[in-house]
Amino acid sequence: MYMEINGSLQGEGKRFALVVSRFNDFITTRLLEGAVDCFIRHGGNAPDLTVVRVPGSFEIPLTALKLAKSGKYQGVVCLGAVIRGSTPHFDYVAAEAAKGIAQAGMSSGIPVIFGVLTTDTIEQAVERAGVKAGNKGWDAMMSALEMTDLFAQL
Ligand code: INI
C-alpha cells in the first residue's frame, strides 16, 4: 500500500498574484478573464487576487520572483502571449520568459505558473484565449489551485 497526495482545486482562502503582460493585450486580457473566472468558480474571492501589469513577457520573471518572495501569496500566475514575427526576437523573449518563470518558482519555493502562450500566429493565440482551443488563462489558474493545495500538504 502506498500514500498518494493530490492537490484539490479549492480556491477559497487562497491568495494569488497574477503577472500580466501588456504586450499583445488583446490576448492577455482574455487570458486574465479566464484565470479570474476559474478562480471565482472554484470558490475564490476576487479581493484575494492581485493583478500586476508588466510591459512584456520578458519582464514577467523578475516581477513574478519579487511577488513570490513577498510572502503575501500562495502562488503566482504568469500570463503573456509571445507571437512569432519575422525576426528571431520571438525566440529570445519566449525562451527567457519560460526559463525565468521556472527559475522564479525554484528560487522562491512557491508555485509560479507558466501561462504564457508561445505561438507561430495570431490565430493560434486567439484560439487559446477563449476560442476553440479553450482558455490557457483558465488552465493556468487550474494549475495554480492544484499546486498550491499540493504544496500545503507536502
Ligand atoms: N513581448 C511579449 O509579451 N510578446 C511578444 O510577442 C513580444 N515580441 O514579439 O516582441 C514581446 N516583446 C517585448 C518584450 O517582452 C519586452 O517587453 C521588451 O523587449 C522590453 O524589455
Side-chain angles (χ1 to χ4, degrees):
M1 204 42 195
Y2 57 85
M3 181 170 74
E4 182 172 320
I5 305 174
N6 287 290
S8 81
L9 300 173
Q10 182 52 49
E12 190 176 7
K14 295 256 180 74
R15 278 174 288 111
F16 291 114
L18 296 95
V19 187
V20 187
S21 85
R22 265 187 272 108
F23 205 104
N24 292 325
D25 169 73
F26 66 107
I27 299 293
T28 61
T29 297
R30 300 285 97 73
L31 299 179
L32 175 61
E33 287 169 359
V36 172
D37 190 34
C38 177
F39 182 66
I40 302 298
R41 284 169 183 263
H42 287 86
N45 301 300
D48 291 332
L49 296 180
T50 299
V51 176
V52 179
R53 305 266 184 182
V54 295
S57 295
F58 193 82
E59 283 71 39
I60 290 176
L62 184 60
T63 313
L65 178 62
K66 191 168 174 66
L67 289 161
K69 282 182 162 177
S70 73
K72 296 178 184 168
Y73 312 102
Q74 277 91 49
V76 179
V77 178
C78 301
L79 302 174
V82 194
I83 302 173
R84 193 180 288 281
S86 53
T87 71
H89 194 75
F90 167 96
D91 300 290
Y92 293 103
V93 175
E96 291 308 314
K99 187 153 48 80
I101 289 168
Q103 190 58 50
M106 298 293 200
S107 300
S108 66
I110 71 165
V112 179
I113 305 299
F114 183 65
V116 178
L117 299 179
T118 57
T119 65
D120 287 328
T121 66
I122 290 173
E123 187 186 22
Q124 288 172 345
V126 170
E127 284 172 2
R128 288 158 179 76
V131 191
K132 66 181 178 188
N135 185 315
K136 297 298 174 194
W138 173 289
D139 296 347
M141 181 55 78
M142 289 289 274
S143 297
L145 291 168
E146 181 174 346
M147 284 298 292
T148 50
D149 188 78
L150 186 64
F151 267 47
Q153 298 178 58
L154 298 180

